[in-house]
Amino acid sequence: MRTATIRRQTAETAIEVTVNLDGTGVYDNATGIGFFDHMLDQLSRHSLIDLTIRARGDLHIDDHHTVEDTGIALGQALVQALGDKKGIRRYGHFALAMDDTQVACALDLSARPYLLWNVDFPTQKIGTFDTELVREFFQALSTNGGITLHVDKVHGINSHHIAEAAFKSVARALRMAVEADPRMAGVLPSTKGAL
């Protein structure tokens, strides 16, 4: 089974992330940040990656460290669960519509982290959640997951919908990329011989 558990402990946070790439989108996420948990639930459900996250962080300061460190640990868990990457599709893409919003994602499990983020928000907050932390999460995920990740807002006027469409489009693209390609069984999807 393609599973992994990562534990990350710093002076600012204590994070435990467990993933099952061959799951059904079962989730149990508790970070202490309600909106962020809602986004992580979407990431799991729409990628079909089973995801359990437990995070304790310095929320008395703000949400930044908890969100970023969760992205770091999740990226590391994906790398571990993917193993040698033989037989996967590697690439994924999805354009997701949600009410007023459309967000498109294209990604490559390349081991070459790069985030291209073309998403802006009309508000600085969604409830008490800082909208700038959406990018921080995906930056940490991309860097630590070795993911070339492009996320583009096509249009949107509601910050909640924009954030949710971003998580869901990444989830759908990730679902495609981690899936086994029956025509590539046991073969690395690269001409370089390494990913």
Tab-separated table of all heavy atoms in Angstrom, residues 102-138:
chain	number	residue	atom	x	y	z
A	102	GLN	N	-13.815	30.065	-11.152
A	102	GLN	CA	-13.145	28.965	-11.819
A	102	GLN	C	-11.649	29.054	-11.506
A	102	GLN	O	-11.045	30.121	-11.653
A	102	GLN	CB	-13.337	28.982	-13.332
A	102	GLN	CG	-12.718	27.777	-14.012
A	102	GLN	CD	-12.816	27.796	-15.521
A	102	GLN	OE1	-12.011	27.180	-16.198
A	102	GLN	NE2	-13.793	28.496	-16.060
A	103	VAL	N	-11.093	27.946	-11.054
A	103	VAL	CA	-9.662	27.851	-10.799
A	103	VAL	C	-9.129	26.636	-11.542
A	103	VAL	O	-9.719	25.551	-11.474
A	103	VAL	CB	-9.357	27.735	-9.284
A	103	VAL	CG1	-7.858	27.514	-9.056
A	103	VAL	CG2	-9.817	28.984	-8.542
A	104	ALA	N	-8.023	26.832	-12.249
A	104	ALA	CA	-7.393	25.756	-13.008
A	104	ALA	C	-6.063	25.392	-12.361
A	104	ALA	O	-5.335	26.257	-11.876
A	104	ALA	CB	-7.161	26.188	-14.446
A	105	CYS	N	-5.767	24.098	-12.367
A	105	CYS	CA	-4.508	23.603	-11.815
A	105	CYS	C	-3.868	22.661	-12.824
A	105	CYS	O	-4.540	21.837	-13.437
A	105	CYS	CB	-4.758	22.856	-10.505
A	105	CYS	SG	-3.285	22.015	-9.877
A	106	ALA	N	-2.557	22.786	-12.966
A	106	ALA	CA	-1.756	21.799	-13.695
A	106	ALA	C	-0.552	21.498	-12.815
A	106	ALA	O	0.050	22.408	-12.237
A	106	ALA	CB	-1.309	22.343	-15.043
A	107	LEU	N	-0.215	20.204	-12.676
A	107	LEU	CA	0.905	19.856	-11.808
A	107	LEU	C	1.694	18.685	-12.366
A	107	LEU	O	1.210	17.918	-13.193
A	107	LEU	CB	0.435	19.578	-10.374
A	107	LEU	CG	-0.559	18.452	-10.106
A	107	LEU	CD1	0.130	17.097	-10.032
A	107	LEU	CD2	-1.298	18.719	-8.800
A	108	ASP	N	2.919	18.587	-11.881
A	108	ASP	CA	3.857	17.549	-12.289
A	108	ASP	C	4.573	17.072	-11.029
A	108	ASP	O	5.170	17.880	-10.313
A	108	ASP	CB	4.857	18.133	-13.293
A	108	ASP	CG	5.939	17.166	-13.743
A	108	ASP	OD1	5.870	15.964	-13.398
A	108	ASP	OD2	6.865	17.621	-14.448
A	109	LEU	N	4.504	15.769	-10.762
A	109	LEU	CA	5.220	15.185	-9.616
A	109	LEU	C	6.670	14.940	-10.038
A	109	LEU	O	7.154	13.830	-10.111
A	109	LEU	CB	4.533	13.896	-9.170
A	109	LEU	CG	3.063	14.047	-8.766
A	109	LEU	CD1	2.470	12.696	-8.385
A	109	LEU	CD2	2.910	15.047	-7.628
A	110	SER	N	7.354	16.024	-10.292
A	110	SER	CA	8.636	16.036	-10.991
A	110	SER	C	9.850	15.928	-10.082
A	110	SER	O	10.959	15.727	-10.569
A	110	SER	CB	8.757	17.352	-11.767
A	110	SER	OG	8.697	18.449	-10.853
A	111	ALA	N	9.668	16.124	-8.787
A	111	ALA	CA	10.766	16.301	-7.828
A	111	ALA	C	11.483	17.629	-8.059
A	111	ALA	O	12.562	17.852	-7.517
A	111	ALA	CB	11.752	15.131	-7.838
A	112	ARG	N	10.886	18.500	-8.851
A	112	ARG	CA	11.410	19.855	-9.070
A	112	ARG	C	10.351	20.842	-8.589
A	112	ARG	O	9.463	21.228	-9.356
A	112	ARG	CB	11.742	20.085	-10.549
A	112	ARG	CG	12.856	19.204	-11.060
A	112	ARG	CD	13.293	19.593	-12.472
A	112	ARG	NE	12.184	19.700	-13.415
A	112	ARG	CZ	11.643	18.654	-14.068
A	112	ARG	NH1	12.117	17.434	-13.868
A	112	ARG	NH2	10.652	18.841	-14.917
A	113	PRO	N	10.422	21.244	-7.325
A	113	PRO	CA	9.376	22.112	-6.785
A	113	PRO	C	9.379	23.483	-7.444
A	113	PRO	O	10.425	24.096	-7.628
A	113	PRO	CB	9.722	22.217	-5.305
A	113	PRO	CG	11.136	21.795	-5.178
A	113	PRO	CD	11.429	20.879	-6.320
A	114	TYR	N	8.176	23.901	-7.809
A	114	TYR	CA	8.001	25.245	-8.366
A	114	TYR	C	6.533	25.596	-8.234
A	114	TYR	O	5.669	24.828	-8.671
A	114	TYR	CB	8.414	25.281	-9.841
A	114	TYR	CG	8.465	26.684	-10.404
A	114	TYR	CD1	9.649	27.407	-10.386
A	114	TYR	CD2	7.325	27.292	-10.931
A	114	TYR	CE1	9.710	28.695	-10.892
A	114	TYR	CE2	7.365	28.576	-11.427
A	114	TYR	CZ	8.565	29.276	-11.408
A	114	TYR	OH	8.617	30.552	-11.901
A	115	LEU	N	6.256	26.723	-7.642
A	115	LEU	CA	4.870	27.181	-7.521
A	115	LEU	C	4.663	28.403	-8.391
A	115	LEU	O	5.365	29.404	-8.246
A	115	LEU	CB	4.520	27.530	-6.073
A	115	LEU	CG	3.101	28.094	-5.865
A	115	LEU	CD1	2.039	27.055	-6.188
A	115	LEU	CD2	2.930	28.632	-4.458
A	116	LEU	N	3.727	28.308	-9.303
A	116	LEU	CA	3.249	29.465	-10.052
A	116	LEU	C	1.841	29.730	-9.554
A	116	LEU	O	0.940	28.901	-9.754
A	116	LEU	CB	3.253	29.188	-11.555
A	116	LEU	CG	3.059	30.434	-12.430
A	116	LEU	CD1	3.715	30.225	-13.776
A	116	LEU	CD2	1.613	30.804	-12.587
A	117	TRP	N	1.666	30.829	-8.868
A	117	TRP	CA	0.409	31.143	-8.168
A	117	TRP	C	-0.194	32.397	-8.766
A	117	TRP	O	0.318	33.501	-8.558
A	117	TRP	CB	0.711	31.332	-6.684
A	117	TRP	CG	-0.472	31.595	-5.816
A	117	TRP	CD1	-0.868	32.797	-5.295
A	117	TRP	CD2	-1.428	30.636	-5.346
A	117	TRP	NE1	-2.002	32.631	-4.531
A	117	TRP	CE2	-2.360	31.317	-4.543
A	117	TRP	CE3	-1.576	29.261	-5.526
A	117	TRP	CZ2	-3.426	30.683	-3.925
A	117	TRP	CZ3	-2.641	28.627	-4.903
A	117	TRP	CH2	-3.542	29.334	-4.114
A	118	ASN	N	-1.244	32.239	-9.514
A	118	ASN	CA	-1.923	33.361	-10.142
A	118	ASN	C	-3.349	33.439	-9.585
A	118	ASN	O	-4.330	33.263	-10.306
A	118	ASN	CB	-1.934	33.187	-11.666
A	118	ASN	CG	-2.522	34.379	-12.376
A	118	ASN	OD1	-2.494	35.496	-11.887
A	118	ASN	ND2	-3.100	34.127	-13.539
A	119	VAL	N	-3.412	33.622	-8.270
A	119	VAL	CA	-4.698	33.656	-7.564
A	119	VAL	C	-4.707	34.873	-6.644
A	119	VAL	O	-3.805	35.024	-5.812
A	119	VAL	CB	-4.917	32.373	-6.728
A	119	VAL	CG1	-6.249	32.444	-5.984
A	119	VAL	CG2	-4.842	31.133	-7.596
A	120	ASP	N	-5.687	35.725	-6.806
A	120	ASP	CA	-5.854	36.847	-5.887
A	120	ASP	C	-7.230	36.746	-5.233
A	120	ASP	O	-8.132	36.103	-5.757
A	120	ASP	CB	-5.685	38.185	-6.605
A	120	ASP	CG	-6.750	38.412	-7.660
A	120	ASP	OD1	-7.058	37.458	-8.409
A	120	ASP	OD2	-7.301	39.528	-7.737
A	121	PHE	N	-7.320	37.368	-4.069
A	121	PHE	CA	-8.550	37.333	-3.286
A	121	PHE	C	-9.079	38.753	-3.103
A	121	PHE	O	-8.293	39.667	-2.836
A	121	PHE	CB	-8.288	36.715	-1.908
A	121	PHE	CG	-7.959	35.253	-1.939
A	121	PHE	CD1	-6.641	34.823	-2.037
A	121	PHE	CD2	-8.960	34.299	-1.880
A	121	PHE	CE1	-6.335	33.470	-2.068
A	121	PHE	CE2	-8.669	32.945	-1.915
A	121	PHE	CZ	-7.347	32.532	-2.005
A	122	PRO	N	-10.392	38.943	-3.198
A	122	PRO	CA	-10.947	40.287	-3.002
A	122	PRO	C	-10.945	40.740	-1.538
A	122	PRO	O	-11.098	41.928	-1.264
A	122	PRO	CB	-12.364	40.179	-3.547
A	122	PRO	CG	-12.701	38.727	-3.476
A	122	PRO	CD	-11.407	37.990	-3.655
A	123	THR	N	-10.768	39.797	-0.601
A	123	THR	CA	-10.738	40.151	0.822
A	123	THR	C	-9.477	39.584	1.461
A	123	THR	O	-8.883	38.623	0.956
A	123	THR	CB	-11.962	39.603	1.570
A	123	THR	OG1	-11.932	38.162	1.529
A	123	THR	CG2	-13.266	40.085	0.941
A	124	GLN	N	-9.078	40.153	2.583
A	124	GLN	CA	-7.899	39.671	3.309
A	124	GLN	C	-8.245	38.539	4.271
A	124	GLN	O	-7.348	37.838	4.746
A	124	GLN	CB	-7.235	40.816	4.080
A	124	GLN	CG	-6.631	41.867	3.175
A	124	GLN	CD	-5.936	42.970	3.959
A	124	GLN	OE1	-6.168	43.153	5.158
A	124	GLN	NE2	-5.097	43.716	3.273
A	125	LYS	N	-9.520	38.366	4.541
A	125	LYS	CA	-9.958	37.353	5.508
A	125	LYS	C	-11.130	36.557	4.944
A	125	LYS	O	-11.953	37.076	4.191
A	125	LYS	CB	-10.424	38.005	6.814
A	125	LYS	CG	-9.369	38.777	7.576
A	125	LYS	CD	-8.616	37.890	8.529
A	125	LYS	CE	-7.744	38.706	9.477
A	125	LYS	NZ	-6.966	37.837	10.367
A	126	ILE	N	-11.191	35.292	5.333
A	126	ILE	CA	-12.387	34.471	5.187
A	126	ILE	C	-12.754	34.093	6.611
A	126	ILE	O	-12.100	33.240	7.218
A	126	ILE	CB	-12.136	33.220	4.324
A	126	ILE	CG1	-11.631	33.611	2.930
A	126	ILE	CG2	-13.407	32.376	4.235
A	126	ILE	CD1	-11.116	32.441	2.120
A	127	GLY	N	-13.733	34.754	7.164
A	127	GLY	CA	-13.965	34.635	8.609
A	127	GLY	C	-12.753	35.221	9.323
A	127	GLY	O	-12.417	36.389	9.140
A	128	THR	N	-12.061	34.379	10.096
A	128	THR	CA	-10.846	34.836	10.782
A	128	THR	C	-9.578	34.340	10.077
A	128	THR	O	-8.470	34.604	10.535
A	128	THR	CB	-10.830	34.326	12.241
A	128	THR	OG1	-10.850	32.889	12.238
A	128	THR	CG2	-12.031	34.846	13.018
A	129	PHE	N	-9.733	33.644	8.963
A	129	PHE	CA	-8.602	33.032	8.260
A	129	PHE	C	-8.004	34.016	7.262
A	129	PHE	O	-8.719	34.595	6.433
A	129	PHE	CB	-9.088	31.772	7.536
A	129	PHE	CG	-8.004	30.963	6.889
A	129	PHE	CD1	-7.252	30.068	7.636
A	129	PHE	CD2	-7.748	31.088	5.529
A	129	PHE	CE1	-6.253	29.315	7.033
A	129	PHE	CE2	-6.763	30.333	4.923
A	129	PHE	CZ	-6.004	29.447	5.675
A	130	ASP	N	-6.684	34.204	7.320
A	130	ASP	CA	-5.994	35.091	6.391
A	130	ASP	C	-5.905	34.441	5.013
A	130	ASP	O	-5.331	33.351	4.875
A	130	ASP	CB	-4.572	35.394	6.881
A	130	ASP	CG	-4.553	36.209	8.164
A	130	ASP	OD1	-5.435	37.071	8.324
A	130	ASP	OD2	-3.656	35.981	8.997
A	131	THR	N	-6.436	35.110	3.996
A	131	THR	CA	-6.432	34.517	2.656
A	131	THR	C	-5.017	34.316	2.113
A	131	THR	O	-4.797	33.419	1.301
A	131	THR	CB	-7.254	35.368	1.663
A	131	THR	OG1	-6.791	36.731	1.709
A	131	THR	CG2	-8.735	35.310	1.994
A	132	GLU	N	-4.041	35.102	2.558
A	132	GLU	CA	-2.668	34.920	2.079
A	132	GLU	C	-2.094	33.560	2.488
A	132	GLU	O	-1.140	33.072	1.878
A	132	GLU	CB	-1.767	36.042	2.582
A	132	GLU	CG	-1.506	36.015	4.081
A	132	GLU	CD	-0.598	37.150	4.551
A	132	GLU	OE1	-0.276	38.031	3.727
A	132	GLU	OE2	-0.225	37.138	5.733
A	133	LEU	N	-2.702	32.909	3.474
A	133	LEU	CA	-2.205	31.610	3.922
A	133	LEU	C	-2.538	30.485	2.948
A	133	LEU	O	-1.923	29.414	3.012
A	133	LEU	CB	-2.762	31.284	5.314
A	133	LEU	CG	-2.269	32.189	6.438
A	133	LEU	CD1	-2.854	31.752	7.777
A	133	LEU	CD2	-0.752	32.222	6.507
A	134	VAL	N	-3.485	30.707	2.039
A	134	VAL	CA	-3.761	29.694	1.026
A	134	VAL	C	-2.504	29.484	0.182
A	134	VAL	O	-2.070	28.352	-0.045
A	134	VAL	CB	-4.977	30.085	0.158
A	134	VAL	CG1	-5.206	29.044	-0.931
A	134	VAL	CG2	-6.224	30.248	1.011
A	135	ARG	N	-1.900	30.574	-0.267
A	135	ARG	CA	-0.659	30.463	-1.032
A	135	ARG	C	0.447	29.844	-0.191
A	135	ARG	O	1.227	29.018	-0.683
A	135	ARG	CB	-0.217	31.827	-1.558
A	135	ARG	CG	1.020	31.733	-2.453
A	135	ARG	CD	1.651	33.092	-2.750
A	135	ARG	NE	2.735	32.947	-3.697
A	135	ARG	CZ	3.948	32.470	-3.391
A	135	ARG	NH1	4.219	32.060	-2.163
A	135	ARG	NH2	4.887	32.372	-4.319
A	136	GLU	N	0.559	30.234	1.062
A	136	GLU	CA	1.613	29.696	1.930
A	136	GLU	C	1.512	28.182	2.046
A	136	GLU	O	2.518	27.474	2.039
A	136	GLU	CB	1.542	30.339	3.321
A	136	GLU	CG	1.917	31.794	3.356
A	136	GLU	CD	3.326	32.059	2.850
A	136	GLU	OE1	4.259	31.298	3.204
A	136	GLU	OE2	3.503	33.021	2.084
A	137	PHE	N	0.287	27.670	2.156
A	137	PHE	CA	0.100	26.223	2.222
A	137	PHE	C	0.592	25.552	0.952
A	137	PHE	O	1.336	24.570	0.997
A	137	PHE	CB	-1.378	25.881	2.458
A	137	PHE	CG	-1.668	24.419	2.315
A	137	PHE	CD1	-1.352	23.527	3.338
A	137	PHE	CD2	-2.239	23.909	1.156
A	137	PHE	CE1	-1.593	22.167	3.205
A	137	PHE	CE2	-2.494	22.558	1.017
A	137	PHE	CZ	-2.162	21.682	2.040
A	138	PHE	N	0.169	26.068	-0.194
A	138	PHE	CA	0.552	25.430	-1.451
A	138	PHE	C	2.046	25.596	-1.752
A	138	PHE	O	2.644	24.721	-2.374
A	138	PHE	CB	-0.322	25.927	-2.602
A	138	PHE	CG	-1.708	25.350	-2.554
A	138	PHE	CD1	-2.814	26.158	-2.361
A	138	PHE	CD2	-1.908	23.981	-2.692
A	138	PHE	CE1	-4.088	25.615	-2.308
A	138	PHE	CE2	-3.178	23.427	-2.639
A	138	PHE	CZ	-4.276	24.257	-2.445
